[in-house]
Amino acid sequence: MSGTAQIGVTGLAVMGRNLARNFARNGFTVAVHNRTASKTRALVEEFGDEGTFVPAESAADFVAALERPRRLIIMVKAGAPTDAVIEEFAPLLEEGDVIIDGGNAHFADTRRREKELRERGIHFVGVGISGGEEGALHGPSIMPGGSVESYASLGPLLERIAAKAPDGAPCVAHIGPDGAGHFVKMVHNGIEYADMQLIAEAYHLLRSVAGYSPEKIAETFRSWNTGRLDSYLIEITAEVLAHTDEATGKPFVDIVTDQAEQKGTGRWTVQIALDLGVPVSGIAEAVFARSLSGHAGLREASRSLPGPTAAALSEADAARFADQVEQALYASKIVSYTQGFHQIQAGSDEYGWNIDLGSVAAIWRAGCIIRAAFLDRIREAYDTQRELPSLLSDKQFAEEIGAAQEDWRAVVATAVHQGVPTPGFAAALSYYDALRAERLPAALTQGQRDFFGAHTYRRTDREGSFHTLWGGDRSEVSTD
């Protein structure tokens, strides 16, 4: 078998199959391989008219079908299965060839694999791909890490198949070395968790406090989607809420068990944020909200606890409250993105990736799950000021969140008064207030730590570290 395929895909479950079809539809010859050969044959039989596929039943035939430098995309489960596929194919490759992991790998695994394969002369590229199965087929947002040399070989292919932003730019960019691509994809998913939680809280408030039906809330979300909240998640939320279950005639949302699942990337985002010392409270609350929803026994045992019962508002008051919820949702959304971009910057600093935050915002404008109209403004903010400390340091975002804060506070207060849980809205507001506070109670926390553990503290009036001898005359000593 001669090397004629410009790209190869091994692992032909839904994502891998659709990615292979996307390459073929864009004029590339694509080698396809799967551990179960019947999947390879099925893809060619069903979609062979979409482009040129080169089916291969063995690893050796698959590698032989690829032109040099070989570009081989792995689309299998993260963890041990990915390592197994790498070990199967790496011995068949030559110096300068490229292995691409398109799964949701942990960035630390990607860093390890990149180092190991680099020592064998093989490029390893961890690629974050967002957009689900439809994105994989029609154009995803793509976040590749790896060496500059590997992107020179792979980039032109990815740029062809990626989603296109409103200005026509492909939603793909070289993120940085080794695990940078998978790190950014991880944080993307963390922001996605937060965004979904905030939308769910908005729905809960409109249902429980405003007294709106799912269909009425769907109309509200459709209206919001024509303005500054224009986004994929708002769009599909309206579709979900408007859907009626065929079997029962009830709103679809009422026949779904209220226990949200997760695949782990949101949890990774919070874990790594803790390691980096970055406060991502909105993302954390979204992860914990999913976890709490799954503890059915605990929730059942707690339903008799005392507390207020939400009371629906009058029609006029409900309409005013819905406007306030829109303000709270928008302000909290800004905070979620602020926290996510802060974590990306911290990761970039920690691992020496030199990530361009404006470029990240640019490639999230289409194709990915969190695509939203205001990402173009985020791109502009970071392009204008590369060293922007925070999105909240941008004048326009600061003005908008300032204008929203009165309604934002009213919504959180109403939720507390009515007993409706809004951990995302409340955490976002608390983060905002903590940033703007002249003094935080951390000073007292440091005093406590010094009292029971001699952990020392710093003073506001002179340099150095100090410890108070609390047990005696409480004199102070310098520890420098």
Side-chain angles (χ1 to χ4, degrees):
M1 185 180 296
S2 60
T4 60
Q6 293 133 310
I7 191 78
V9 179
T10 180
L12 301 177
V14 175
M15 284 291 289
R17 180 187 65 196
N18 283 2
L19 199 63
R21 292 172 60 196
N22 191 350
F23 279 113
R25 288 175 165 191
N26 278 281
F28 296 110
T29 298
V30 186
V32 288
H33 169 269
N34 195 77
R35 184 178 60 180
T36 305
S38 59
K39 282 193 174 182
T40 307
R41 292 192 294 270
L43 184 153
V44 177
E45 289 171 5
E46 189 172 355
F47 304 109
D49 61 346
E50 294 184 344
T52 305
F53 296 99
V54 181
E57 294 198 1
S58 70
D61 286 346
F62 180 61
V63 170
L66 299 170
E67 66 179 26
R68 295 290 315 279
R70 301 180 182 93
R71 292 165 290 226
L72 183 163
I73 300 180
I74 298 171
M75 296 297 293
V76 300
K77 290 182 179 179
T82 298
D83 284 322
V85 172
I86 290 171
E87 284 309 307
E88 179 182 10
F89 284 98
L92 304 175
L93 301 177
E94 299 175 77
E95 186 172 347
D97 289 347
V98 185
I99 295 178
I100 304 106
D101 176 13
N104 268 337
H106 194 291
F107 81 96
D109 287 336
T110 302
R111 299 190 76 212
R112 167 181 58 81
R113 291 163 182 153
E114 193 276 337
K115 181 177 183 296
E116 292 172 350
L117 288 169
R118 182 178 0 114
E119 292 171 353
R120 297 162 70 169
I122 299 170
H123 296 287
F124 184 77
V125 178
V127 177
I129 300 175
S130 179
E133 59 187 79
E134 285 299 307
L137 180 61
H138 299 293
S141 173
I142 309 176
M143 296 152 261
S147 66
V148 172
E149 294 82 3
S150 66
Y151 190 77
S153 170
L154 181 63
L157 284 75
L158 298 181
E159 289 164 13
R160 184 91 66 84
I161 70 159
K164 303 301 183 290
D167 60 4
C171 289
V172 57
H174 181 224
I175 300 297
D178 54 73
H182 275 144
F183 185 94
V184 167
K185 175 57 163 58
M186 174 192 74
V187 177
H188 165 283
N189 285 24
I191 295 172
E192 177 186 311
Y193 273 55
D195 216 342
M196 293 173 69
Q197 175 64 26
L198 294 171
I199 291 170
E201 290 178 17
Y203 153 75
H204 198 179
L205 288 164
L206 293 177
R207 188 93 189 257
S208 299
V209 179
Y212 285 177
S213 67
E215 178 59 37
K216 174 67 172 176
I217 302 173
E219 293 175 9
T220 302
F221 274 91
R222 288 193 192 100
S223 174
W224 291 352
N225 201 47
T226 64
R228 60 185 182 176
L229 284 171
D230 177 10
S231 67
Y232 174 71
L233 284 171
I234 293 289
E235 176 188 342
I236 67 169
T237 298
E239 292 297 315
V240 172
L241 290 172
H243 181 52
T244 300
D245 176 56
E246 189 174 317
T248 64
K250 296 179 179 179
F252 171 78
V253 73
D254 286 347
I255 58 92
V256 177
T257 304
D258 61 341
Q259 298 176 29
E261 298 179 0
Q262 53 186 308
K263 290 189 175 181
T265 46
R267 186 166 60 245
W268 291 349
T269 305
V270 177
Q271 290 169 340
I272 300 305
L274 290 170
D275 292 339
L276 293 171
V278 177
V280 292
S281 51
I283 297 171
E285 287 295 350
V287 173
F288 288 134
R290 292 196 190 190
S291 297
L292 188 149
S293 75
H295 286 271
L298 177 63
R299 292 171 59 200
E300 179 65 30
S302 304
R303 285 202 175 95
S304 61
L305 290 173
T309 300
L313 303 174
S314 68
E315 184 176 347
D317 286 343
R320 283 192 291 271
F321 181 69
D323 290 339
Q324 291 180 316
V325 172
E326 189 273 345
Q327 292 270 33
L329 178 56
Y330 183 70
S332 299
K333 184 183 181 77
I334 292 174
V335 168
S336 295
Y337 280 76
T338 296
Q339 293 179 354
F341 276 92
H342 182 194
Q343 182 168 0
I344 292 172
Q345 184 61 63
S348 179
D349 293 342
E350 176 72 16
Y351 299 108
W353 287 330
N354 195 31
I355 295 175
D356 183 337
L357 298 184
S359 179
V360 171
I363 66 174
W364 286 351
R365 291 179 297 162
C368 70
I369 302 302
I370 64 170
R371 58 186 183 267
F374 88 147
L375 275 160
D376 205 43
R377 289 176 45 217
I378 294 177
R379 175 189 62 81
E380 291 173 1
Y382 282 112
D383 284 351
T384 301
Q385 189 178 343
R386 178 73 185 265
E387 302 302 321
L388 190 70
S390 156
L391 276 181
L392 298 182
S393 302
D394 175 75
K395 182 180 178 182
Q396 187 173 2
F397 281 119
E399 288 177 350
E400 287 185 325
I401 206 167
Q405 68 165 313
E406 184 176 341
D407 287 333
W408 190 11
R409 296 181 193 282
V411 166
V412 172
T414 298
V416 172
H417 183 71
Q418 299 262 29
V420 178
T422 53
F425 283 173
L429 181 56
S430 181
Y431 175 87
Y432 173 76
D433 281 338
L435 288 183
R436 53 178 290 278
E438 184 175 344
R439 291 274 291 172
L440 292 171
L444 176 58
T445 303
Q446 281 300 93
Q448 294 168 330
R449 294 180 73 244
D450 188 64
F451 191 106
F452 66 69
H455 292 298
T456 76
Y457 52 87
R458 287 175 287 117
R459 295 179 60 95
T460 60
D461 55 355
R462 58 183 185 271
E463 296 296 321
S465 295
F466 300 89
H467 166 57
T468 294
L469 303 176
W470 295 98
D473 60 4
R474 299 191 178 180
S475 59
E476 182 178 77
V477 296
S478 172
T479 62
D480 285 347

